[in-house]
Amino acid sequence: MLKILGAGLPRTGTKTLCEALRMLRFNAIHHEPKRLRLFTALPIPQHVAVYDNVDAVLDCPAAMYWREIYQHYKCKVILTTREPADWWESIKWHTNQIRSSDNMSHIRYTDDLHGLLFGVATPHEYWWRRRYEEHNQAVRDAIPSEDLLEMDIVAGDKWDNLCEFLDVPKPDAEFPWEHRRRKPCLIG
């Protein structure tokens, strides 16, 4: 049964948080295209039950359907954020890396996903930043404070707040750091 919902949009530390949750022994998944297809194919509320077999879910489609997922599971919500200008540079870089590849199926998938997330498929600073900021504020406004942790991993948030929020012991290991502007993984 789902315990943790990562409501942060892509390029906010969702992959890093997923790895951290795995290190805390949670069965966590990050961005699963097959579940995104289920979300768009099944009627509400059936689609939210696709997370009955995991402890934590991060990135898309969870960040897109955070309201429905939270309503169904009443779980803890972690909103990963970063300074909007830094987020814009990161998502623009990531998207341009994908768009410059030869993998047309991944380009189409990414364009479809970005169209759903931001209203336009290709990077557009005004629209994408506006949607990013609106998304973050909507999560802050809707989730009760006892169920919400906001983390800025890029700015240095690590184990302390996370472990306290989840009521788990802090591990001896270093906090992970994933996707430091390396080549994005391509989904075939």
Side-chain angles (χ1 to χ4, degrees):
M1 187 65 71
L2 190 71
K3 300 173 185 140
I4 304 161
L5 165 60
L9 291 176
R11 307 304 297 172
T12 61
T14 58
K15 181 75 172 164
T16 294
L17 179 57
C18 186
E19 184 57 31
L21 293 171
R22 288 174 181 157
M23 291 171 71
L24 294 172
R25 304 285 186 234
F26 288 102
N27 177 15
I29 59 172
H30 179 268
H31 187 89
E32 284 200 333
K34 70 177 183 176
R35 290 182 201 246
L36 178 59
R37 286 188 281 280
L38 287 173
F39 262 79
T40 57
L42 295 172
I44 295 174
Q46 284 179 304
H47 66 266
V48 296
V50 301
Y51 295 119
D52 282 352
N53 64 339
V54 296
D55 297 324
V57 60
L58 298 100
D59 211 278
C60 296
M64 297 164 64
Y65 296 98
W66 61 270
R67 284 181 181 89
E68 294 87 348
I69 295 169
Y70 178 75
Q71 185 176 8
H72 183 77
Y73 291 103
K74 300 295 186 208
C75 53
K76 296 286 190 179
V77 177
I78 302 173
L79 177 63
T80 49
T81 62
R82 64 193 293 178
E83 196 278 318
D86 289 344
W87 173 81
W88 165 247
E89 289 302 319
S90 181
I91 193 81
K92 179 177 68 172
W93 173 85
H94 183 74
T95 303
N96 287 334
Q97 291 292 309
I98 293 168
R99 295 181 123 256
S100 67
S101 78
D102 294 331
N103 188 334
M104 291 310 294
S105 66
H106 191 219
I107 292 169
R108 280 191 300 277
Y109 169 80
T110 302
D111 284 352
D112 290 347
L113 179 64
H114 289 160
L116 289 170
L117 279 171
F118 305 118
V120 291
T122 56
H124 187 284
E125 184 172 8
Y126 174 79
W127 290 114
W128 285 29
R129 278 183 66 165
R130 180 177 169 180
R131 288 281 180 104
Y132 171 74
E133 292 174 8
E134 288 172 349
H135 169 86
N136 291 343
Q137 193 58 52
V139 173
R140 291 178 191 116
D141 291 345
I143 304 298
S145 59
E146 63 272 10
D147 288 342
L148 179 63
L149 173 65
E150 187 167 341
M151 291 185 75
D152 186 339
I153 293 168
V154 174
D157 289 343
K158 296 186 178 160
W159 291 124
D160 292 335
N161 292 343
L162 178 62
C163 292
E164 181 180 335
F165 178 68
L166 298 175
D167 196 26
V168 296
K170 181 179 167 183
D172 291 330
E174 282 191 42
F175 195 80
W177 190 278
E178 301 288 327
H179 283 188
R180 288 187 191 204
R181 280 220 181 175
R182 66 176 192 234
K183 186 175 180 179
C185 59
L186 298 179
I187 300 167

